[in-house]
Amino acid sequence: MSARKLQPWPVPTGPAVLELLGDLERALDGTGPALLPVPGGRTADSAELAEARRLATALRVDEPLGPGEDAADDPTAVVVATSGSTGEPKGVLLSTSALYASADATHARLGGPGHWLLALPARHVAGLQVLLRSLRAGSVPGVLDARRGFRPETFARAAEEVLARPGRHYTSLVPTQLARLVAAGGPGLAALREFDAVLLGGAATPPTLRRRAEAAGVRVVTTYGMSETAGGCVYDGVPLDGVRVRLTERQPGSDTGRIELSGPMLARGYRGCPDATAQVFRSGWFRTGDLGRRTEDGRWEVLGRTDDVINTGGVKVAPVLVERVLCAASGVLEACVVGVADPEWGQAVAAAVVPSDPGSPPAVEELCAAVREGVGVAAVPKVIRFFDSLPLRGPGKVDRRQLRSLLHRSG
């Protein structure tokens, strides 16, 4: 068998993405090349085209898949590029069996196959999975036309066509999209209520946002996973069928540790990076970069990235715990907490807060008091700055690196 090629797969935003379903089917059955999703399509701008060229070069699309990167009986269907926010991107090798295992486990958890609305970029794993789940369900997904940004009224129109079909109905969003739909109310929120499940991932979900959404009648399912696990593999803190979770690197007396995942949806490794693969794919387990713990009711809770933990004066602070307190405070819409360099403490806790009413932000003293009571004195932010919105990267993730720079300059 000759080595299969890796082919750039320009993925457009909007309904034109449906023209690519045939490419995906051929990649899955091994009759076509493995696909590298990149920005593209007829409406792609110069920045998107430049990003597509960067990814194609970094992941060597001119070279065939190497030994261990493919298999005749289980082809590598898609190579998903990681964000590369801290360096060169890595290509995650996702086999047909891994992608199918993820899609089937999702449907089993949600109550069976159904009709999907694609509201996320299909070149990221969460959006790609909407296409794949639709293929597994024998359905053509509805597509939100987000070429001019995400708008609740556009979501309502796209949802109408999907919801008209008999059967179960699903969509997948990031927290920012959910927040906009809940805040806007009207037809967008009314449509969202009709879905049997709304998967929410890509970034941590503030508990207050989930409570508001559920109070409005939205059936939210929070997901945890990454490209290396073919998308979400833990739903509402409970692993999908076949998925195992464990904690390693625990500190004495601590209930937190590094999260490791195992299951049939694990990737093969990284394209052309045997050393990087060996570091995190070990004996059927994937070593994530996330901290977690198990709650009293037995669910798994993610506390954020290990490298996001703030060491301030020798005390380690998990940003997500501070963010939860801030988001629960009156007058706060969103919050992100990072560590900034500090000559006295090593790192200082710094918070970016988006107020519900930009003209009347909450009092800094009240926010600090809430953190002191809810998390502890070491977690109280030394810097709090108000923003109109949080900078994002990828599929709805807050750009912590940019925020760290902004907050350091303001501290």
Side-chain angles (χ1 to χ4, degrees):
M1 172 183 165
S2 59
R4 290 172 65 234
K5 293 182 178 179
L6 175 61
Q7 175 177 294
W9 195 42
V11 179
T13 300
V17 72
L18 297 180
E19 299 171 10
L20 305 182
L21 289 177
D23 294 338
L24 183 56
E25 289 180 305
R26 288 186 288 275
L28 289 164
D29 66 21
T31 60
L35 303 174
L36 171 66
V38 296
R42 292 183 290 272
T43 61
D45 59 27
S46 57
E48 290 173 321
L49 294 176
E51 173 67 3
R53 290 191 295 270
R54 184 183 78 91
L55 293 175
T57 299
L59 298 176
R60 303 185 302 282
V61 294
D62 55 339
E63 299 177 13
L65 295 173
E69 294 186 346
D70 199 22
D73 59 345
D74 185 17
T76 291
V78 182
V79 178
V80 176
T82 59
S83 64
S85 62
T86 58
E88 284 298 306
K90 296 192 293 290
V92 180
L93 299 155
L94 293 173
S95 69
T96 296
S97 66
L99 291 165
Y100 281 169
S102 175
D104 294 346
T106 291
H107 283 150
R109 177 62 54 86
L110 298 183
H115 303 288
W116 286 84
L117 171 62
L118 175 64
L120 298 170
R123 72 183 186 90
H124 297 295
V125 73
L128 176 68
Q129 276 291 8
V130 170
L131 299 182
L132 187 76
R133 293 168 191 146
S134 297
L135 289 177
R136 291 294 274 176
S139 173
V140 176
V143 181
L144 171 70
D145 191 347
R147 286 174 290 184
R148 297 182 181 178
F150 181 85
R151 294 184 172 87
E153 59 272 19
T154 308
F155 178 87
R157 288 195 296 270
E160 182 178 3
E161 184 269 333
V162 174
L163 295 169
R165 306 177 196 172
R168 298 183 67 77
H169 308 96
Y170 308 119
T171 191
S172 185
L173 303 176
V174 294
T176 299
Q177 293 172 318
L178 177 63
R180 291 179 184 175
L181 288 166
V182 172
L189 180 58
L192 195 63
R193 291 193 193 103
E194 297 303 312
F195 284 88
D196 294 284
V198 177
L199 302 187
L200 201 62
T205 302
T208 51
L209 172 59
R210 178 166 189 162
R211 288 194 291 268
R212 289 199 304 269
E214 291 180 335
V218 181
R219 301 175 184 88
V220 174
V221 178
T222 58
T223 70
Y224 169 68
M226 55 282 298
S227 298
E228 289 88 344
T229 60
C233 62
V234 178
Y235 284 14
D236 284 338
V238 180
L240 295 180
D241 293 347
V243 175
R244 291 184 293 163
V245 183
R246 70 184 184 188
L247 299 180
T248 60
E249 303 176 22
R250 293 196 197 192
Q251 296 298 314
S254 173
D255 63 348
T256 67
R258 183 187 292 268
I259 297 173
E260 294 194 355
L261 301 166
S262 179
M265 58 282 295
L266 285 191
R268 283 200 162 100
Y270 298 117
R271 159 82 163 154
C273 298
D275 291 342
T277 297
Q279 287 176 4
V280 294
F281 290 93
R282 301 174 179 175
S283 303
W285 289 87
F286 172 65
R287 181 175 180 265
T288 77
D290 296 319
L291 277 179
R293 65 186 179 188
R294 205 161 193 178
T295 60
E296 292 182 356
D297 62 359
R299 295 176 184 268
W300 293 99
E301 180 181 29
V302 181
L303 299 177
R305 301 284 297 173
T306 56
D307 50 10
D308 287 336
V309 170
I310 303 166
N311 190 333
T312 178
V315 178
K316 293 183 179 179
V317 175
V320 67
L321 300 180
V322 184
E323 291 165 0
R324 288 175 184 173
V325 172
L326 292 174
C327 288
S330 177
V332 175
L333 181 62
E334 293 181 276
C336 181
V337 173
V338 298
V340 298
D342 185 272
E344 180 180 1
W345 300 98
Q347 283 185 303
V349 179
V353 173
V354 179
S356 303
D357 179 2
S360 181
V364 169
E365 296 79 6
E366 293 179 3
L367 296 179
C368 289
V371 173
R372 184 179 296 107
E373 180 179 352
V375 189
V377 64
V380 174
K382 299 289 193 298
V383 177
I384 294 181
R385 182 177 172 188
F386 296 104
F387 291 80
D388 293 333
S389 62
L390 299 177
L392 301 178
R393 63 175 180 82
K397 291 182 173 66
V398 177
D399 191 336
R400 291 178 180 270
R401 174 182 284 188
Q402 183 178 347
L403 271 182
R404 190 174 290 111
S405 175
L406 293 170
L407 290 169
H408 180 69
R409 291 200 297 270
S410 67

